[in-house]
Each structure stands twice: as C-alpha cells, then as structure tokens.
Amino acid sequence: MSKKLVIVESPAKAKTIGRYLGKDYEVTSSKGHIRDLPESEFGVDLNSLTPTYRILKGKEKVVKQLKEKAKGKEVLLASDMDREGEAIAWHVAQILGLPKTKKNRIIFSEITENAIKRAVKNPRTIDMNKVNAQVARRILDRIVGYKLSPLLWKTVSRGLSAGRVQTVALKFISDLESKIAAFKPHKFYKIFMRVGEQKIQLLEINGKKFSNKSIRTEEERDKILNELKQSVFVVSSIETTRKKIKPPEPFITSTMQQTAINELGWSASKTMKVAQQLYEGIDTPEGHIAFITYMRTDSTRISEEAKEKAKVFILEKFGEKYLGTAKTKKSRKKNVQDAHEAIRPTYPERTPEEVKAKKLLSGDHLRLYALVWKRFFASQMAAAEYDVTTIKIADENGKYVFKYTTRNCVFDGFERILKKTNGNHETAIVPEGKTIKPDTFLWEEDQTKPPARYTEASLVRELEKKGIGRPSTYATIISTLLERKYVVKSGRELRPTLLGNIVADFLGKSFPDIINEKFTANMEEELDEIENAKRQWKEVVLRFYENFAQDLNKLEQDIKNGKLKIEYPTDRKCDCGGEFKVVFGRYGGYLKCSECGKNQSLDMTVFAPIIEGKVILHDIIETNNKKNELDETCPECGSKLVIRKGRYGSFIACSAYPKCTYTRDIYVDAKCPECGGSVKKMRSKKGKTYFKCVDCGKMFWREPAGKKCEVCGDPLFFKFKRRSKKVLYCEKCKKEFPINE
C-alpha cells in the first residue's frame, strides 16, 4: 500500500507524473475544480465578504474517492502553479481537512522526472496570498456578473451576460468598429521612377519628407510629373550599413497564442487546449510523455539546465558562431511571475522531426510542438545579420529625391531555424554620382484606409499591452464573446454584432468608472499586489463594490420607475417618413417607427455600428430580406415569399407585408419517417423547436434527415453538438455519423 497520495487536476497529468514516482506514491486527479461559489445563488455575504462554497454538481463522487484515498496517507497537492491551481489545492485541502501549517504543496513548471522528484522533496505550505488573490478575482467577477446580467435581462434580452473583463474587451472591439464606420477615405497619388525592373518611390521634395497622401488632385500630380520628366537625375548617395536582427524571446502565453493564430489559423482557445495536452502528457509508443513546460506564464526566463541543453544542440548542429550570447531581457511589465519559466520543450533534444519519425506526436500536437521548439532554440541563437543598402537618386537641383533599399543576408543566425521571408536581395552596383536615365515616371491612385479590425491575435496583443486580464484569461474572454454572439468571426476579423455594440455602449455609459480599460488594468495590478502581500483582499473588493453599488442602485431605480428604456435611433426611415428606433421587448430587439408605431423584425447579430448614439443600418434590412427570399411567390398577391423570424421562431411570409398578411410554417426537406408525409418545423410557447408531420400528426424533437442508420436501419435525425456542429444521429442505437456534404 502506498504511503503518499499526490493529487493533481487532470487524469492526463496524473498519468504522466505516475511514471516518475515509485510504489510509495499514488497519483490521482480532482478532475479540475471540485468546489466553487453556487451556480443558482449569489453566494457572497456582502457585509462580511464571506464566500459560500459548494461541491460542484457531478463532483460528489470525486470528492468521496479523494477522501477514501487520503485516509492514513500523507497528501501532496500538485495542482498547477498559477493562482487557479493554488486555489484548487486550497479547496482540496479544506475538503480533506488538511492542516494549514502542513507543507503539502508541490509545484513544478515542467513534467519531467527530475522536476517531479525535486518538487516532491521540497514541499511548501499553500500560498494563501495567491489563494486570496484568486478569491478576490472570483468575488469581483461574481459581483459584476450577478448584478449586471439581470440588468441586461430587464432592459435588453434574457440570457445575456456581462463580465468585468469581458465587457472591456467587447468595448475595444465595438469602439474600433465605430471608428471604422465613421472613417471617410480620400484618394491620393503615389509617384515612382522606373529604371529597368526597379520601381523607385519619391521620398523628398525640397528637403522635406514627401507624404504620398499630400497629393490629392490630378493637377498637383501632373505638375510634379511634368517637372520630373524635364529633370536630369544622378545617384546622389549610396550607403550600406550592417543591421543585426535580434532573436525573439521564447514564448509566453500571449505570444504563443498570437503565433498559433497567425501561422496555424487557430483560435486562442484551441491553442490553449492543445498546449494543455502537451504540458500534461500524451500517450505515445514510449509511454505517457509531457512535451512542453507550463503554458500559462508571462515570464521569458529559461532555466540554466534548459539553456545548457540548447547550447549543446546548437554547437553540435550548427557550430559555435550560431550560439547566442545575449542574456534573456528582464520584462518591462509589472508583476511578472518570474517563478515560472517561458514556454519551452521539456526535452529540448527531441526535435519535431524526431517526434514525428517516432510517431510520438502528430497532427495539431506536432504543429504546436514545432512552433514551441523552434521559438525556444531561436531564442538561444545568434542574431541574423543583413547588409542594408540605401540608394538615393536626385535631380540636379536636389529638389526631388527618390530612394530604394536592398537587404542582403550575410549571416542567417537564428533564422536558420526560425525561417523568415526576408530573402536575399543583391544590390545593383551603381557608382555614386552616375547619371540615371529613368525609363518612365509612374503614378498610382490609392486611398486612405480605416484602421484594421481586431483579429484574435491582435486583440490578445492589445489586452496584454493594456494590462487587461492575465495570460490564462485571454482565450476565455474571446470564446465568451463569440458564444454570446456579441462578436462574430468574419474570416479572421472579429466584428461586433448589433447586440454586442448595444451591450458595450449601454454598460459603458451606465458604469463609466467600472467598464473602462484603466480601471480594469488597475484592478489587475491590485490583484497582483494581493498576491504579493501588499494589499488585503477584502479591502480591494469592498472599495470596488462601494463604487459599483452607487451606479447600480441608481440604474435599478431608473428601471423600476420606468425612467430607463434602451432605445437607439437609426438611419432607417419608415414608409410614413418617421425614423425607426431599435427598441427591446420581451423577445429581444426590433425596429419601431417613432411616428406611426410600425414594428419590424431585426436580426440582432447583423453588423451595425453605433456612431454618436445612432445605429447605422444602411441597407442591412433590404440585404437580409433579399438573402432570405425564396424562389416562390405568394399564393394570395404574387409577391416574393421570404423567411422571417417571429416570437415562435422562423416562418414564411409575404414580402409585401403589411399589405398582404399571408404566412405559413416552414417545411423541412425530409419526409416523415412514419408515413412519408410533409414535416413542419414548429416552436412551442416555451420556445422549444419541434417537428410535426402534417399527415399523421407524429411529432419529433429532432429534424428528420431522410436517411437510415447503417447499423440498425432506424431513421436518422439531425443533431447539433457543441459549437453548432451538425451530425446524423440514431435515437435507437445512440450512434452518430458525419454528414457527407
């Protein structure tokens, strides 16, 4: 019988650690959090700031097993080394009744034999400062979520949510969309000289840097071109400088996410999921192996042991000149958790080619491992060196100066591993002072462009730059915004929906002291100060709540007295000449004419920005109607039929409404599996979708697919899984089948 019990979060991590500890140890898993604030109630006494914790639903069996296994054994708590992990260790210790003064907490940034055995020999007590910082964050988020979300239910629509950090991130996206919508482009002209195959851009006029955007008229353009054609040009200067490109630092959470998003096309949440698996360990032909160090970190520090392994590899593979000499720069950011390491391979000697050849990793695991491995080794290598040559060509009076630059790689350094797109460009040998006869002069018309929308990568970079959230929260922030339909991905761009814009605008105006980037960043710093024992957590939470409660009470009174109604004017006109407003009722947002009171449905997931308090719809309604048009005409008036959304879901209606009031239910493509009759898609008064055969009256909770199960022969139905993935499903044998598009 084992003498010591090691408790980690996940079964995968338990399996990996179990390889390295002998028969005197048993390793088990809590399967994540086992205790938290209750789901169905607030769970915090605001007078004493005392949280009430409950065993999470479905974790009763896990808790029972942990108690049984811990009897008569020394317990070591080995959850992750961040605040979340420290809080999990604390909750487990509370449930098992472990003494507060007992040294039973072990931490490690990599799951290797040396790291695990070293950690087991050096346990410490639970860091209550870290726990208090996590408790404070959880209570702050509970206060905002439980107090703001009901306001959104009362004023906008039920089911919406608000978060302390999530709403600030939404505001970033929404405010940028308003800037893009308000942007007014203007055209301008660029001017070039062509010499052979080289197109050289105009740089200076009369000793001043030439701005392409300053030439806005054809007259200005033609005047300059005429002068250029009459001028004689010479090579005024040739200057070559040696430029060093420093290697990048090893990955931290945010840079790993950004690189995976940009290079692999992943989401932040997928990146963290795959990284978690690589950290905790994966089943391989050589056993359960962990491939990277802890993936939630903002430190670029590398252990001396890992540096030495990298040094040996670089010397053997590339030679001494490729070995980097620069020390890892100290981060300029405040409160970096330097006890952590950067993200790196746990076994640096295992190259991506080796793990692929030995079939240790494949697919997404191999792709992310390759990114981490290459970035780590690149960070330990020498700088790349380029000869950068700048050639200036000027007219005889020096009024007009053209410039072009070439780059020639003289030493690839870290780019030997982390290949860049800087290819070698040989400089044409042109003596200084030589006359140049341009083949022609060219102009190009362009126009100013609005700021680029956020992608997941650029939003992570912005959140990190502004100090909003922490490395472990970026992926959750983005996935929450997407799940709530506040934001939609259009290609790689993150675009706010009308619902998202309204939520951001309403909360931003109602709680200006809470929903802003500076306050949120300051709150993150205060949480860090709690962790570093510089502040008391109750003092931080109480000061926040006192300020928050003032705005909250005023808003609740306004709602109760009927003073607050969320209405937004739009740029859309009604047939009567009145202006449509976006208003909210029991079933969400819709359009209402301010003059005649006419109502019109509105899809709240459209892209419609808010500029100076007005919703800009343009031709969104007409576009949506055309998109929803059917190849059928109304049997009563001959107008086009369209799909509309109503109180009980989608239905087919005449596009000439209100002149024609024809409507009918939507029929699905497949026939009834019972009698072969037509099947209608319907919605109950409680809002649940179901399907009903118009011939035999048979009802189904899932849409018939018109196919048979290849296993048992019963009819198949469509089933929606997480993230709206659609599969075929057999209700008899409970099997799922992919849909062949």
Side-chain angles (χ1 to χ4, degrees):
M1 182 178 176
S2 60
K3 299 174 184 177
K4 295 182 182 180
L5 178 69
V6 179
I7 302 175
V8 299
E9 301 103 316
S10 73
K13 191 174 174 182
K15 196 172 183 180
T16 312
I17 292 173
R19 290 184 64 206
Y20 306 125
L21 297 176
K23 59 183 181 180
D24 288 338
Y25 293 86
E26 179 183 359
V27 186
T28 191
S29 164
S30 67
K31 298 180 182 177
H33 279 278
I34 57 174
R35 196 172 73 162
D36 197 5
L37 297 174
E39 287 185 15
S40 55
E41 56 185 284
F42 186 53
V44 180
D45 184 337
L46 290 173
N47 294 317
S48 61
L49 291 182
T50 303
T52 300
Y53 294 109
R54 297 273 189 271
I55 302 297
L56 290 170
K57 188 177 180 181
K59 287 296 183 76
E60 296 86 357
K61 187 177 179 181
V62 173
V63 170
K64 184 180 178 182
Q65 289 173 346
L66 289 177
K67 287 181 177 180
E68 289 174 354
K69 289 181 178 182
K71 285 179 181 178
K73 296 176 186 173
E74 181 183 344
V75 176
L76 294 175
L77 305 168
S79 47
D80 288 345
M81 58 192 300
D82 58 3
R83 290 178 193 158
E84 198 82 13
E86 204 73 20
I88 290 175
W90 177 69
H91 283 297
V92 172
Q94 291 270 300
I95 287 171
L96 298 182
L98 304 180
K100 293 180 181 179
T101 56
K102 181 72 174 175
K103 290 185 177 182
N104 53 20
R105 176 79 171 111
I106 61 172
I107 60 168
F108 37 83
S109 62
E110 62 179 12
I111 304 178
T112 59
E113 185 170 2
N114 288 340
I116 298 303
K117 289 184 175 179
R118 190 163 52 242
V120 167
K121 290 177 182 178
N122 297 282
R124 60 163 171 80
T125 57
I126 290 174
D127 186 343
M128 286 309 299
N129 292 322
K130 256 186 178 178
V131 173
N132 288 337
Q134 181 61 26
V135 169
R137 175 187 286 280
R138 190 72 186 92
I139 292 177
L140 287 170
D141 291 342
R142 175 55 63 103
I143 289 171
V144 174
Y146 259 69
K147 298 296 182 180
L148 286 193
S149 296
L151 287 181
L152 293 177
W153 301 349
K154 293 173 186 176
T155 54
V156 181
S157 180
R158 287 198 65 81
L160 301 183
S161 72
R164 183 178 57 86
V165 180
Q166 156 201 328
T167 309
V168 176
L170 174 60
K171 203 167 187 311
F172 283 169
I173 300 170
S174 179
D175 289 348
L176 178 60
E177 192 69 22
S178 296
K179 288 179 184 177
I180 293 170
F183 181 81
K184 294 182 180 178
H186 68 262
K187 71 176 182 179
F188 62 90
Y189 296 95
K190 300 177 183 178
I191 294 178
F192 303 89
M193 167 195 292
R194 182 177 287 284
V195 180
E197 297 298 318
Q198 190 73 44
K199 193 167 76 169
I200 308 167
Q201 193 165 0
L202 182 60
L203 174 70
E204 292 178 11
I205 299 180
N206 288 325
K208 293 182 179 180
K209 188 173 180 180
F210 171 67
S211 172
N212 292 319
K213 298 174 185 178
S214 64
I215 302 179
R216 299 193 184 188
T217 66
E218 294 181 10
E219 290 77 13
E220 290 177 292
R221 178 198 70 195
D222 293 341
K223 180 183 177 183
I224 291 174
L225 287 171
N226 287 332
E227 287 188 21
L228 292 173
K229 289 174 183 177
Q230 296 169 22
S231 301
V232 177
F233 289 87
V234 297
V235 177
S236 61
S237 69
I238 300 177
E239 185 178 324
T240 300
T241 57
R242 181 67 56 88
K243 182 179 180 182
K244 287 189 175 183
I245 301 176
K246 293 181 180 180
E249 292 186 325
F251 279 141
I252 59 176
T253 303
S254 60
T255 52
M256 179 184 68
Q257 289 177 354
Q258 291 168 51
T259 305
I261 291 165
N262 290 330
E263 295 189 18
L264 303 180
W266 292 1
S267 64
S269 58
K270 177 177 179 178
T271 304
M272 294 308 291
K273 180 181 178 182
V274 177
Q276 180 94 27
Q277 292 164 350
L278 287 173
Y279 164 68
E280 292 182 343
I282 292 170
D283 284 320
T284 75
E286 296 181 7
H288 210 72
I289 299 174
F291 285 89
I292 66 172
T293 55
Y294 192 53
M295 67 291 156
R296 294 188 182 94
T297 177
D298 50 7
S299 171
T300 55
R301 188 180 66 80
I302 294 293
S303 71
E304 291 303 318
E305 183 182 353
K307 284 182 182 179
E308 189 58 33
K309 286 186 177 181
K311 179 180 177 180
V312 171
F313 181 89
I314 293 166
L315 287 173
E316 289 180 354
K317 185 79 174 176
F318 305 114
E320 190 170 354
K321 66 178 181 177
Y322 281 90
L323 190 63
T325 56
K327 294 181 180 179
T328 304
K329 292 186 296 183
K330 192 171 181 180
S331 178
R332 296 177 185 174
K333 295 183 293 180
K334 297 179 181 178
N335 300 316
V336 168
Q337 299 177 43
D338 204 51
H340 297 189
E341 275 194 75
I343 304 168
R344 62 167 178 81
T346 50
Y347 304 101
E349 64 276 13
R350 289 186 180 270
T351 66
E353 292 75 21
E354 179 192 330
V355 299
K356 181 181 180 182
K358 291 183 176 179
K359 297 183 179 179
L360 303 179
L361 290 177
S362 61
D364 290 341
H365 293 123
L366 178 61
R367 281 190 280 273
L368 186 58
Y369 179 73
L371 283 188
V372 173
W373 189 92
K374 289 177 182 178
R375 180 71 168 237
F376 166 68
F377 274 97
S379 73
Q380 303 302 302
M381 293 176 74
E385 296 182 25
Y386 283 82
D387 277 345
V388 180
T389 300
T390 302
I391 301 175
K392 291 185 179 180
I393 301 171
D395 68 323
E396 65 273 23
N397 299 318
K399 180 179 180 180
Y400 296 106
V401 179
F402 291 79
K403 182 186 89 165
Y404 75 98
T405 302
T406 64
R407 290 161 52 90
N408 184 39
C409 182
V410 293
F411 176 59
D412 52 3
F414 75 90
E415 292 182 354
R416 185 76 175 268
I417 278 184
L418 205 63
K419 290 181 173 60
K420 298 290 182 182
T421 56
N422 296 320
N424 294 348
H425 300 286
E426 295 294 337
T427 304
I429 305 301
V430 183
E432 191 172 332
K434 181 181 178 181
T435 301
I436 294 288
K437 187 174 182 181
D439 297 330
T440 187
F441 293 95
L442 309 169
W443 59 269
E444 291 179 2
E445 184 178 318
D446 204 344
Q447 67 174 17
T448 54
K449 294 178 176 60
R453 290 185 176 91
Y454 286 114
T455 61
E456 285 200 39
S458 61
L459 181 60
V460 167
R461 188 163 55 248
E462 185 74 3
L463 293 171
E464 182 184 35
K465 177 183 172 184
K466 297 287 178 64
I468 308 298
R470 279 295 175 262
S472 60
T473 64
Y474 300 143
T476 305
I477 290 168
I478 295 170
S479 61
T480 301
L481 294 177
L482 292 169
E483 286 168 7
R484 295 295 180 186
K485 299 295 183 185
Y486 293 158
V487 172
V488 173
K489 285 183 78 170
S490 178
R492 287 197 172 189
E493 293 181 333
L494 295 174
R495 298 193 64 182
T497 61
L498 175 55
L499 177 62
N501 284 324
I502 287 175
V503 168
D505 184 72
F506 168 62
L507 293 179
K509 288 176 178 176
S510 302
F511 299 91
D513 297 331
I514 303 295
I515 309 299
N516 72 66
E517 62 183 71
K518 288 184 179 178
F519 179 88
T520 307
N522 289 338
M523 184 58 66
E524 293 294 346
E525 290 181 11
E526 290 190 3
L527 290 171
D528 289 333
E529 288 176 349
I530 294 170
E531 180 174 339
N532 295 323
K534 294 178 181 178
R535 281 183 181 271
Q536 295 296 316
W537 75 268
K538 287 191 176 183
E539 166 204 327
V540 171
V541 174
L542 186 61
R543 184 159 43 81
F544 168 85
Y545 182 68
E546 286 174 348
N547 295 332
F548 176 70
Q550 292 178 10
D551 292 334
L552 183 68
N553 291 336
K554 183 179 181 302
L555 208 60
E556 287 177 335
Q557 281 300 118
D558 289 345
I559 293 171
K560 188 176 180 180
N561 299 333
K563 292 181 181 179
L564 179 66
K565 288 184 179 179
I566 297 185
E567 295 183 347
Y568 284 84
T570 73
D571 60 348
R572 180 167 168 75
K573 298 291 184 182
C574 177
D575 294 336
C576 73
E579 184 182 77
F580 274 113
K581 299 181 295 184
V582 177
V583 298
F584 292 87
R586 184 178 176 187
Y587 300 100
Y590 61 96
L591 292 174
K592 186 180 185 70
C593 177
S594 55
E595 297 294 329
C596 68
K598 176 183 174 182
N599 295 338
Q600 194 171 68
S601 63
L602 177 63
D603 183 355
M604 294 300 291
T605 63
V606 297
F607 302 132
I610 299 173
I611 300 178
E612 296 180 354
K614 177 178 279 193
V615 173
I616 309 301
L617 291 172
H618 292 307
D619 298 323
I620 284 173
I621 307 302
E622 288 83 350
T623 302
N624 282 348
N625 281 344
K626 286 180 181 178
K627 186 170 64 175
N628 293 328
E629 276 185 2
L630 302 176
D631 292 329
E632 294 181 57
T633 56
C634 174
E636 295 184 5
C637 73
S639 299
K640 280 276 186 182
L641 291 178
V642 296
I643 298 175
R644 296 194 189 279
K645 287 186 177 180
R647 180 180 299 182
Y648 302 114
S650 299
F651 63 96
I652 294 173
C654 180
S655 59
Y657 177 84
K659 292 180 181 177
C660 177
T661 58
Y662 174 80
T663 62
R664 77 159 192 259
D665 292 316
I666 292 177
Y667 289 88
V668 302
D669 295 333
K671 297 297 182 182
C672 173
E674 294 288 326
C675 70
S678 298
V679 178
K680 287 196 298 186
K681 182 179 180 181
M682 306 187 75
R683 197 174 177 93
S684 70
K685 289 185 179 181
K686 291 187 177 180
K688 190 159 185 178
T689 300
Y690 66 99
F691 302 86
K692 183 177 181 179
C693 175
V694 296
D695 294 335
C696 68
K698 180 75 174 179
M699 292 188 290
F700 314 93
W701 286 118
R702 290 191 174 96
E703 179 183 343
K707 295 181 179 181
K708 299 286 186 181
C709 175
E710 58 191 48
V711 177
C712 66
D714 262 36
L716 292 176
F717 296 83
F718 289 116
K719 178 183 177 182
F720 285 94
K721 302 189 75 178
R722 197 169 175 232
R723 296 187 183 277
S724 299
K725 183 181 178 182
K726 197 175 183 182
V727 296
L728 294 171
Y729 178 69
C730 177
E731 294 185 338
K732 182 179 180 182
C733 59
K734 310 297 181 187
K735 290 189 177 293
E736 296 176 358
F737 305 93
I739 297 174
N740 297 319
E741 299 293 346

